[in-house]
Amino acid sequence: MVILRVEALEKEFARTRALKGVSFSLREGEILGVLGPNGAGKTTLIHCILGLVEPTKGRVEVFGLQMDRHRSEILSRVNFASSYVSLPYSLTVEENLVVYAYLYGISNPRQRIREVLELFEIWHLRGKTTRGLSTGQMTRLCLAKAMLNRPKLLMLDEPTAGLDPEIAAKTRTLLMRLKECEGLSVLYTSHNLREMEKVADRVIFLHEGRIIAEGPSSQLLSSHGVGSLEELFFKVLKG
């Protein structure tokens, strides 16, 4: 079952074309990695999928529904986390999640908040104001927020940046478990190519707003005669 379908997506900002005819799909229970250098269009792509930015051309369908017509319905089953986005600094960890729990209409929010905070090992920080968190703790809080509504589609922009190796590994394990057990679909951007090799079922390479390579990691490595995504990354960009 296709969860996300992006067709001929284009986005122009003034004189810059950030996306140039991007098309791909994401199936249920699949992790799709999006790779590319800074400025390739990765974040713009996620913002278009979330409906935060209106595409210049093209179409985004989530759960078979068009984003521009069914945004509220779609977003109730979707979530997002980024290491570049912080939550309000004046609220405590728990207060931040209470706000989002009510926005998502989560039943028994206190119980669910405890579950996600324990999942990312920050339950003990629940009474701490967000401004007092370290970068890694803030990242974990944003990931906890992203899991509150038990999303069927999760979009992650550099989700493990700032995490120590142990927590990053636990986060990868959690995503893979949710994929297998609950059919979670994930769109995942990262500059950590070794991490991407471990979690992604398929990857797409974005460069200057275009997809220049796509497929399962093992298939791409074999077809390009390289041993790692890092080697492939530089070979594809040079090519």
Side-chain angles (χ1 to χ4, degrees):
M1 174 183 176
V2 174
I3 295 295
L4 167 66
R5 191 184 305 277
V6 174
E7 296 181 350
L9 201 66
E10 299 194 9
K11 180 58 187 177
E12 295 184 13
F13 295 101
R15 298 179 181 179
T16 302
R17 292 179 67 200
L19 297 174
K20 305 170 184 176
V22 173
S23 298
F24 65 89
S25 61
L26 173 64
R27 301 187 67 82
E28 183 177 11
E30 182 179 39
I31 298 179
L32 177 63
V34 182
L35 302 175
N38 291 333
K42 302 187 298 297
T43 300
T44 300
L45 173 62
I46 287 180
H47 287 176
C48 286
I49 294 170
L50 286 170
L52 300 174
V53 170
E54 184 177 355
T56 305
K57 293 181 181 178
R59 186 165 71 172
V60 175
E61 286 188 0
V62 187
F63 314 122
L65 304 172
Q66 284 190 228
M67 172 58 78
D68 57 351
R69 298 180 184 178
H70 303 275
R71 187 168 184 267
S72 295
E73 182 181 350
I74 290 170
L75 292 184
S76 68
R77 302 164 61 194
V78 172
N79 219 312
F80 167 73
S82 170
S83 60
Y84 307 115
V85 176
S86 300
L87 299 181
Y89 287 133
S90 59
L91 300 180
T92 67
V93 166
E94 188 169 21
E95 286 169 346
N96 266 294
L97 295 189
V98 166
V99 171
Y100 281 97
Y102 280 108
L103 286 173
Y104 279 104
I106 294 170
S107 58
N108 201 347
R110 298 288 179 179
Q111 178 182 330
R112 181 58 182 161
I113 287 168
R114 177 162 191 154
E115 289 172 356
V116 296
L117 289 178
E118 288 181 342
L119 196 63
F120 291 99
E121 301 182 10
I122 51 172
W123 170 246
H124 63 289
L125 298 174
R126 62 191 178 279
K128 190 169 185 176
T129 55
T130 308
R131 68 165 53 88
L133 299 180
S134 69
T135 300
Q137 290 168 344
M138 176 66 84
T139 298
R140 280 188 273 171
L141 174 57
C142 290
L143 287 167
K145 185 275 297 180
M147 298 306 301
L148 266 176
N149 62 327
R150 294 184 173 86
K152 295 301 292 179
L153 171 60
L154 182 60
M155 282 175 275
L156 301 175
D157 192 9
E158 297 284 347
T160 60
L163 296 183
D164 63 60
E166 181 184 6
I167 296 299
K170 287 182 178 180
T171 300
R172 291 193 297 269
T173 300
L174 171 64
L175 291 175
M176 295 174 76
R177 189 176 79 228
L178 291 172
K179 180 192 82 164
E180 296 296 332
C181 298
E182 300 183 16
L184 176 67
S185 302
V186 183
L187 187 71
Y188 192 115
T189 78
S190 178
H191 285 109
N192 187 332
L193 302 185
R194 292 183 180 179
E195 176 178 87
M196 195 66 79
E197 284 186 43
K198 295 176 181 177
V199 300
D201 298 297
R202 288 188 298 124
V203 296
I204 59 177
F205 279 83
L206 274 180
H207 183 50
E208 297 180 348
R210 299 183 188 277
I211 294 178
I212 57 174
E214 179 179 4
S217 296
S218 58
Q219 185 181 92
L220 289 175
L221 297 183
S222 176
S223 63
H224 286 81
V226 295
S228 69
L229 282 180
E230 186 172 8
E231 290 181 67
L232 177 61
F233 182 87
F234 291 111
K235 185 172 184 178
V236 166
L237 292 186
K238 288 178 181 178

